[in-house]
Amino acid sequence: MEYNTKCLIIGSGPAGYTAAIYASRADMHPLLYEGIQVGGQLTITTEVENFPGYPQGIHGVAMMEDIRQQALRFGTQMRNGEIVKVDFSQRPFICTDDNNDIIYADTVIIATGASARWLGLESEKKFNGYGVSACATCDGYFYKDKDVAVIGGGDTATEEASYLAKLCRKVYLVHRRDELRASKAMQQRVFNTPNIEMVWNSIPIEITGEENKFNKSVTGLKIQNTRTSAISTLNVDGVFIAIGHHPNTEVFQGQLELDNEGYIITRPGSSHTNIPGVFAAGDVQDKQYKQAITAAAGGCKAAIDAEHFLQENA
Ligand code: NDP
């Protein structure tokens, strides 16, 4: 099948759904592909307490469903599935989905997000959202006055450790080598924070916890020393994985300007990519803030930029 749309939105996190709300209210009749993880990264967290408008907090899944319903209310056409191929060399742009349907799009808003890298442990999957997190700003508050571990040695890990140190009783920063990759300034901050303890040359081998019919919780992190092979356990209530993110841009390689880590490059202060008519919003082009609210704001900008583009190229 072949379809035409004024605005194709790829991705269903806060950026994609917000772009859809704005684009549909501007009569652009957007078509939105929700991708494999409908609702995006927030659907793998538990409680969201820092998104304005929810004074009591809200579950990530429920919040994304709210934003989705808002986009549907104004007539966004939602599709299950993924865009697997794009051709941005001509307009309308030609995009192919995983059902081999072809979409001819006058504008495209890319909001495919980024995915946290995970260790790949079975126990990490089991306790994800119940003591295992990849976002201290999102989930740190639940560990107030408790002990936690952060895994990683880069800027993200050191920032997460510093953030958590203000809330938690103790933070173990577990790194696989004996020196940090993070900037010198972040290293100093970590070393000068009394309640952060470095755990060098250590790799996580299991996250331990308790589970009953109603709940799950983490009780510890089993680590192995890479030099001595000794195994020990840190008694912690939370484990924050901070071993990097990767932007979901594989499908756009060769079609758009990406930076050396694969993030889409947008013109500062806007959602414009190097291809006129193609816009990007949210974590797929943001490696600094990575928040639901900044992604939503990006989606809003992208829809407005797309609307202006359609007016100028009518
Ligand atoms: P990085 O790739 O810089 O660091 C990832 C860290 O995780 C490394 O220390 C790495 O160890 C470790 N690691 C990777 N895989 C594993 C694994 N399987 N098991 C255990 N440890 C692992 O990612 P970041 O997210 O920290 O940073 C990404 C980019 O964003 C960087 O360019 C960073 O500078 C930037 N950034 C900037 C910030 C700022 O300026 N405020 C804040 C956050 C990020 P090893 O060192 O041994 O490779």
Side-chain angles (χ1 to χ4, degrees), residues 119 151-157 159 175-177 181 242-244 261:
L119 296 163
I151 318 298
D155 280 319
T156 302
E159 279 203 352
H175 185 36
R176 63 184 176 184
R177 292 187 294 130
R181 175 183 295 277
I243 60 172
E261 292 169 65

Side-chain angles (χ1 to χ4, degrees), residues 60-285:
V61 174
M63 187 178 109
M64 292 319 300
E65 186 53 28
D66 277 353
I67 308 179
R68 183 176 188 273
Q69 288 301 329
Q70 200 171 346
L72 283 169
R73 180 184 152 206
F74 296 111
T76 300
Q77 210 188 324
M78 304 271 181
R79 285 259 171 85
N80 284 323
E82 285 185 287
I83 296 296
V84 294
K85 194 171 152 211
V86 297
D87 178 356
F88 292 157
S89 65
Q90 54 192 305
R91 277 207 309 265
F93 305 115
I94 306 171
C95 303
T96 310
D97 73 10
D98 50 4
N99 200 30
N100 256 333
D101 289 340
I102 309 272
I103 298 102
Y104 296 97
D106 296 332
T107 61
V108 175
I109 294 175
I110 300 170
T112 46
S115 303
R117 289 206 174 94
W118 297 99
L119 296 163
L121 301 172
E122 208 41 57
S123 51
E124 173 189 53
K125 260 192 233 146
K126 178 170 164 187
F127 291 106
N128 200 326
Y130 297 89
V132 173
S133 167
C135 178
T137 328
C138 319
D139 298 327
Y141 190 75
F142 303 115
Y143 302 91
K144 207 166 187 298
D145 301 323
K146 295 183 173 175
D147 295 350
V148 297
V150 176
I151 318 298
D155 280 319
T156 302
T158 48
E159 279 203 352
E160 303 251 296
S162 298
Y163 178 84
L164 289 165
K166 294 187 195 117
L167 296 167
C168 302
R169 191 172 58 177
K170 175 147 198 164
V171 178
Y172 297 97
L173 182 51
V174 179
H175 185 36
R176 63 184 176 184
R177 292 187 294 130
D178 62 358
E179 60 175 348
L180 294 172
R181 175 183 295 277
S183 64
K184 287 280 177 278
M186 281 314 297
Q187 294 194 24
Q188 277 318 314
R189 190 175 304 172
V190 160
F191 298 151
N192 292 336
T193 304
N195 62 336
I196 299 180
E197 180 178 328
M198 288 304 312
V199 182
W200 299 110
N201 301 312
S202 297
I203 47 166
I205 53 172
E206 190 188 347
I207 293 155
T208 57
E210 288 166 352
E211 183 177 12
N212 63 33
K213 240 192 334 195
F214 308 105
N215 210 354
K216 289 188 249 186
S217 59
V218 164
T219 54
L221 173 70
K222 220 181 255 187
I223 50 173
Q224 180 160 40
N225 188 292
T226 54
R227 300 207 168 153
T228 63
S229 296
I231 292 175
S232 56
T233 300
L234 302 170
N235 294 321
V236 291
D237 302 288
V239 178
F240 289 82
I241 314 293
I243 60 172
H245 281 79
H246 57 87
N248 300 320
T249 52
E250 288 78 3
V251 74
F252 308 112
Q253 262 158 26
Q255 296 285 330
L256 275 182
E257 213 182 329
L258 308 177
D259 73 7
N260 58 1
E261 292 169 65
Y263 288 86
I264 296 176
I265 299 174
T266 49
R267 208 189 296 157
S270 82
S271 68
H272 290 261
T273 69
N274 67 312
I275 304 285
V278 179
F279 306 90
D283 288 10
V284 74
Q285 53 82 61

